[in-house]
Amino acid sequence: GEHESWEMLARLFRSGSERTQVFALDALSKRSDPQMAMLIDEAAASRHLLVRLSAMKVFELWSPHNAIQRLLDYLSDPSGKVRATAIDLLVRRKCPELHAYLPKLVHDNDALVRASAVSAVALMYAEIAHEIGILALQDYDTDVRLAAVRALA
């Protein structure tokens, strides 16, 4: 029945390729099972980028009250894509805790992260968006400069 198919998907998640894990995690997230939190934790610690990105979205659905801290933790993930996605999800939640991280994030090594941080400043902190935008206009990366233009608009 329902429990057996959940168990089968969980085994598939634990033994599959990166894409198979993403598929299984997505399928499992639509079901109700108390073990889901444990699987999300496994996915969040995965060495696979796509699995970690999927875990971020699933975690937000399954545990919205714990999502803020988990997303803040993702701001130090080795992957720039994960850090940028965390910024975007925190902005969507209007997370005031993000403010403390933004000064570092606008100077991140990854251009995608810098662009997301500049956009976050523009969306959340209009009073300082102008000065951050002016600084970001000098960035060597086109996407960061484009985010700066949007922030200044």
Side-chain angles (χ1 to χ4, degrees):
E2 179 72 22
H3 184 70
E4 289 80 19
S5 66
W6 197 96
E7 286 295 324
M8 183 190 73
L9 283 168
R11 278 194 304 279
L12 188 62
F13 170 79
R14 290 187 173 116
S15 63
S17 68
E18 181 177 22
R19 295 217 181 266
T20 302
Q21 286 182 323
V22 169
F23 166 79
L25 187 62
D26 182 58
L28 288 165
S29 71
K30 294 170 176 61
R31 300 163 182 249
S32 177
D33 192 286
Q35 295 180 43
M36 191 60 195
M38 186 172 56
L39 272 180
I40 294 169
D41 286 341
E42 286 179 41
S46 174
R47 63 185 170 88
H48 299 298
L49 173 62
L50 292 177
V51 176
R52 289 197 317 276
L53 288 169
S54 294
M56 293 171 77
K57 293 177 177 124
V58 171
F59 188 79
E60 192 173 30
L61 294 173
W62 265 80
S63 187
H65 55 282
N66 293 328
I68 295 286
Q69 187 54 54
R70 180 61 67 102
L71 290 171
L72 290 170
D73 292 344
Y74 277 122
L75 294 175
S76 60
D77 191 272
S79 164
K81 177 73 173 158
V82 170
R83 293 191 309 277
T85 301
I87 292 168
D88 297 342
L89 292 171
L90 287 163
V91 167
R92 210 175 308 154
R93 293 174 148 271
K94 296 179 176 47
C95 173
E97 293 91 342
L98 179 60
H99 180 80
Y101 296 84
L102 287 172
K104 180 180 175 198
L105 293 168
V106 296
H107 297 291
D108 194 274
N109 291 333
D110 189 287
L112 185 60
V113 174
R114 292 193 307 276
S116 289
V118 168
S119 296
V121 169
L123 291 169
M124 296 178 68
Y125 306 102
E127 66 279 359
I128 61 169
H130 182 76
E131 58 189 87
I132 296 294
I134 295 294
L135 287 173
L137 281 174
Q138 300 166 25
D139 196 280
Y140 65 87
D141 188 87
T142 307
D143 290 332
V144 178
R145 291 193 311 272
L146 183 58
V149 168
R150 288 186 187 125
L152 292 168

